[in-house]
Amino acid sequence: MRSAFHEELDSIGMTLLQMAGLVKIAMVEATTALLASDLTMAEKVIAADSVIDDIQHELDARTINLMARQQPVASDLRTLVTSLRMSADLERMGDLAHHVAKQARMRYPNSAVPAELVPIITSMGMVSDKLIEKLTVVMEHRDTVRALEIETDDDEMDKLHRDLIEALLADDWTHGIETAIDMTLLGRYYERFADHVVSISRRVYFLVTGEYSSN
Amino acid sequence: MRSAFHEELDSIGMTLLQMAGLVKIAMVEATTALLASDLTMAEKVIAADSVIDDIQHELDARTINLMARQQPVASDLRTLVTSLRMSADLERMGDLAHHVAKQARMRYPNSAVPAELVPIITSMGMVSDKLIEKLTVVMEHRDTVRALEIETDDDEMDKLHRDLIEALLADDWTHGIETAIDMTLLGRYYERFADHVVSISRRVYFLVTGEYSSN
């Protein structure tokens, strides 16, 4: 029989998964809003960010409360501290989806993304989604094999980011400075989103193995 | 007489101040490296970042160890959890200084900053420095008055950031896309640096008052 303490730990884990699910939806919808110049969807993502923020506040309060009431032993304490860090990463990922959606809204009814960059941004959106999908499995099953895979999956995002900057610098770039600024920021948002996936994945890996998966 | 526990709490606070001091130096030196195209200084900032990372790892281990050994009551526990969050903010601020220094190194022996933008970047560096200077006082003396001031001081950074983007979009911009990309990223690094100052300052305010200083 699980103790009440471990039931609460499980419940914290479930809420983290719920946050990851909302962040996943937010980034998919933000990318759609961006590529389809869909103002309604952009507004939806922007509004939904406060839901993620609220869940984080409530979750962190619950986690700290559990720390205060119980005297968790080393590994349980480590799990709780890691939960606080994971919720901070997920909250920040929600912010980044929110930034992407705001970019879509700012340029509406125009598209923020020139036609020839649609494939790269589409791929960045797909890689983001693949990463957080895998992260959800890592979090739910403490899957260290997939945690290690995420390290290399992230290389795809880095490559797309380099491709994006290269496209901005190509001689045939005709979209001017404003679009270049937009695309630089968008590239950064997707890249940071992936960085946070890697960060959470490393935290899970460390929790399970007691070792760092890299540096 | 202070208990051993409170002595350890104080010591954690001292280490956070030490981190803030190193981050302050890193950002000042990164800005100098950037504006003076000083490769030696850029390399120094880049190398020093791992020192900040190491201090964070050691500090977090110490904080979690203290949580495990003691059963801190509500307010002490809140202080320890907040320490973990503050060290994460400071570590990230060190990364941002590191990014600025890398930008200086990447364009060396050229300057990454065109002459007409030197005043704005100089100001962004100065506002960063003023913010972290004030943050150090907030942290050391739990100074809620200055914590509130930081909220408005940060508006200066936002204004500089808007000025920077405006300069990139001006009709007389002649430096091309690559420099515009560089400046967009640099602007973002300074802006995020200031955001983290605000974040830490709010954490101190909350610790002292039990209330949020904003939103």
Side-chain angles (χ1 to χ4, degrees):
Chain A
M1 205 187 82
R2 310 276 292 157
S3 67
F5 174 74
H6 283 98
E7 273 175 20
E8 289 195 63
L9 264 190
D10 288 348
S11 151
I12 288 169
M14 291 300 290
T15 306
L16 285 169
L17 278 173
Q18 182 200 357
M19 278 186 82
L22 291 174
V23 166
K24 181 180 191 305
I25 292 167
M27 199 47 144
V28 167
E29 292 188 344
T31 304
T32 304
L34 186 70
L35 293 171
S37 305
D38 184 334
L39 183 62
T40 310
M41 192 162 280
E43 295 284 10
K44 186 187 161 202
V45 175
I46 291 164
D49 189 42
S50 66
V51 176
I52 296 173
D53 294 352
D54 289 347
I55 295 176
Q56 190 211 5
H57 281 141
E58 184 273 332
L59 176 64
D60 286 1
R62 194 143 53 97
T63 306
I64 295 169
N65 187 269
L66 189 59
M67 284 177 172
R69 280 184 294 116
Q70 310 278 341
Q71 284 97 40
V73 296
S75 86
D76 290 336
L77 177 63
R78 209 166 59 176
T79 302
L80 288 170
V81 168
T82 301
S83 297
L84 292 172
R85 288 171 167 160
M86 283 165 54
S87 80
D89 278 310
L90 289 165
E91 189 274 330
R92 184 72 199 140
M93 290 165 75
D95 286 349
L96 291 163
H98 173 258
H99 289 350
V100 170
K102 275 174 82 176
Q103 202 78 23
R105 183 173 72 179
M106 185 164 66
R107 298 300 170 214
Y108 179 85
N110 297 318
S111 172
V113 181
E116 70 262 37
L117 295 184
V118 165
I120 294 185
I121 296 295
T122 304
S123 297
M124 289 182 119
M126 285 171 63
V127 172
S128 298
D129 198 50
K130 188 174 84 174
L131 281 167
I132 192 160
E133 176 72 37
K134 196 173 275 188
L135 178 65
T136 307
V137 178
V138 168
M139 289 167 65
E140 188 165 2
H141 303 288
R142 298 194 159 209
D143 182 332
T144 54
V145 176
R146 282 193 178 76
L148 290 176
E149 283 174 18
I150 281 176
E151 301 274 340
T152 38
D153 292 349
D154 179 47
D155 295 344
E156 283 181 62
M157 185 63 91
D158 292 339
K159 176 169 184 325
L160 287 166
H161 193 228
R162 283 195 301 277
D163 291 348
L164 177 67
I165 300 293
E166 213 166 274
L168 302 182
L169 292 175
D171 287 337
D172 58 355
W173 177 258
T174 56
H175 303 285
I177 300 286
E178 183 168 80
T179 306
I181 295 173
D182 284 1
M183 298 309 301
T184 302
L185 291 175
L186 283 169
R188 180 104 188 127
Y189 301 150
Y190 283 100
E191 191 203 19
R192 290 294 302 152
F193 188 91
D195 286 347
H196 284 285
V197 170
V198 171
S199 159
I200 296 173
S201 168
R202 286 182 182 167
R203 296 188 197 292
V204 175
Y205 188 92
F206 184 77
L207 266 189
V208 177
T209 67
E211 282 171 15
Y212 293 106
S213 55
S214 79
N215 55 47
Chain B
M1 205 185 84
R2 310 274 290 155
S3 68
F5 175 73
H6 283 97
E7 272 175 21
E8 289 196 62
L9 264 190
D10 288 348
S11 152
I12 287 169
M14 292 300 289
T15 306
L16 285 169
L17 278 173
Q18 182 200 358
M19 278 185 83
L22 291 174
V23 166
K24 182 180 190 306
I25 292 168
M27 199 46 146
V28 167
E29 291 187 344
T31 305
T32 304
L34 186 70
L35 293 171
S37 304
D38 184 334
L39 184 62
T40 311
M41 191 162 282
E43 296 284 10
K44 186 185 161 204
V45 175
I46 291 165
D49 189 42
S50 65
V51 176
I52 296 173
D53 294 351
D54 290 346
I55 294 176
Q56 191 211 4
H57 281 141
E58 185 274 332
L59 176 63
D60 286 0
R62 195 145 50 99
T63 306
I64 295 169
N65 188 270
L66 189 57
M67 284 177 173
R69 281 185 295 116
Q70 310 278 340
Q71 286 99 38
V73 296
S75 87
D76 289 335
L77 177 63
R78 210 166 58 176
T79 302
L80 288 171
V81 168
T82 302
S83 296
L84 292 172
R85 288 171 167 159
M86 284 165 55
S87 80
D89 278 310
L90 289 165
E91 188 272 332
R92 184 72 199 140
M93 289 165 75
D95 286 347
L96 291 164
H98 173 257
H99 289 351
V100 171
K102 274 174 82 175
Q103 202 78 24
R105 182 173 72 178
M106 184 165 65
R107 298 300 170 213
Y108 179 85
N110 297 318
S111 172
V113 182
E116 70 262 38
L117 294 184
V118 166
I120 294 185
I121 296 296
T122 304
S123 297
M124 289 182 119
M126 286 172 62
V127 171
S128 298
D129 198 50
K130 190 173 83 172
L131 281 168
I132 192 161
E133 176 72 37
K134 195 173 277 188
L135 178 65
T136 307
V137 178
V138 168
M139 287 167 65
E140 188 166 1
H141 303 288
R142 298 194 159 209
D143 183 332
T144 55
V145 175
R146 282 194 178 75
L148 291 176
E149 283 175 16
I150 281 176
E151 302 273 340
T152 39
D153 292 349
D154 178 46
D155 295 344
E156 283 182 62
M157 185 63 92
D158 292 338
K159 175 164 185 331
L160 287 166
H161 193 229
R162 282 194 302 276
D163 291 350
L164 178 66
I165 300 294
E166 214 167 275
L168 302 182
L169 293 175
D171 288 338
D172 57 356
W173 177 258
T174 56
H175 304 284
I177 300 285
E178 183 168 80
T179 306
I181 295 174
D182 283 2
M183 299 309 301
T184 301
L185 290 174
L186 283 170
R188 180 104 188 126
Y189 300 151
Y190 284 101
E191 191 203 17
R192 290 293 302 152
F193 188 91
D195 286 347
H196 284 285
V197 170
V198 171
S199 159
I200 297 173
S201 169
R202 286 181 182 168
R203 296 189 197 291
V204 175
Y205 188 92
F206 184 78
L207 266 189
V208 177
T209 68
E211 282 169 17
Y212 293 107
S213 56
S214 79
N215 55 46

